[in-house]
Amino acid sequence: MTDEVAGAHRRGWARVLATVVRVTRDLGAAEDAVQEAFAAAVELWPRQGVPDDTTAWLTTVARNRALDARRREQTLARKLPLLIVPGDDAPAGREAIEDERLRLVFTCCHPALSLPSRVALTLRLVCGVPTPDVARLFLVSQPTMAARLTRAKKKIQAAGIPYRVPAEHELPDRLPAALAVVTLLLTEGHTASRGSGLGRPELVRTATELAEVLAELMPDEAEVLGLLATVRLAAARRPARLDDDGGLVLLSAQDRSRWDRSLISAGCALAAQAMRRAVPGRAGPYALQAAISAVHSEAATYEATDWPQVVALYDLLLAVAPSPVTALARVAAWSHVAGPGPALAEVASLGDDARLRGYYGVPAVRADLLRRLGRTAEAAASYEEAAALTANEVERSSLLTQAAGLRGTGRRPG
């Protein structure tokens, strides 16, 4: 894929697909048509030049491919083209784009599908996250995820799930999947599972837009407010994550004067509001995640972080949303309360969890604990182990640099 087509894919995949779904009423057929449009761009743009509006060009080609496919099948011929749903006056301009994407989000998040299938399908179709990356986010194999996506698309088609934004009373049933999608989208956008860049800004933008739309739809929902708070706080800290050479700067070493204080203030206010609106004693995972992020963001220095409060919030989070990755994060925080020695034993126990097999975070946390214990050779080996398990080149470089520093070489091992 050329750079121009790759850029168009990042910017326009979801918008093109959302428009074509209105034509086909079939997620599988729409996805096929959009993929054909991108294939045509790879072939034609080098010869004919890149169009001024790549998204419009791709939408036109994909829509025509979809209509041609329907004609070839000689099905519903008299109802073509289905460019406008009867009785549906879609708004124009940017509002139409957001309306189309929201329709697609809620179609994929229909409660007829299992929650993992809803989330995976939305990430793949709405957000354009490649199937291998979706599989990594779910800690499953690529064939397993591909099969899950295929079954979900067939079920939507067979069940005749309508392509629309649900009525207000239907929103709560769709909300858990929509929130999970935005969270995983933000996770992949914040630190990409693979590639030469630390993150994927286009996914962060999509996550931000979807979180804002959800907040407009459900402004009093604690979990929505918590999600939006997390988005705001992540954006506030983003300027300090890379040094002038493009290297990763860990939270413990970040220059906090580079954080966006207005976004910090807004995010912390949203986090507090989310916790206030939560059912007393029963805060949900998104409100709790926002609260954890707020504690980190409010600390003047890394050392001044209220670690006991962070650990207590992680304990609450694990009670409502158990996760091995969350458990690992909790141990990392607990190490600043109990010390690196006891935490090291906890990491060893978590390393036996099959779901974390091959996850770079386990040896990375172990390496930090070993470093703090002065066991430099073991720490360096763990940093190198973590580097071998990540496909993100910026993270790998950071891990290898830390290993090299401990070995006293001043350079990364080959």
Side-chain angles (χ1 to χ4, degrees), residues 338-355:
L344 191 61
E346 291 292 323
V347 171
S349 177
L350 285 172
D352 295 331
D353 191 320
R355 293 170 295 177

Side-chain angles (χ1 to χ4, degrees), residues 14 26 55 105 107 181 187 201 241 245 255 385 388:
D26 182 328
T55 299
V105 167
T107 298
V181 164
T187 298
R241 294 188 72 214
D245 297 322
D255 178 359
E385 179 186 349

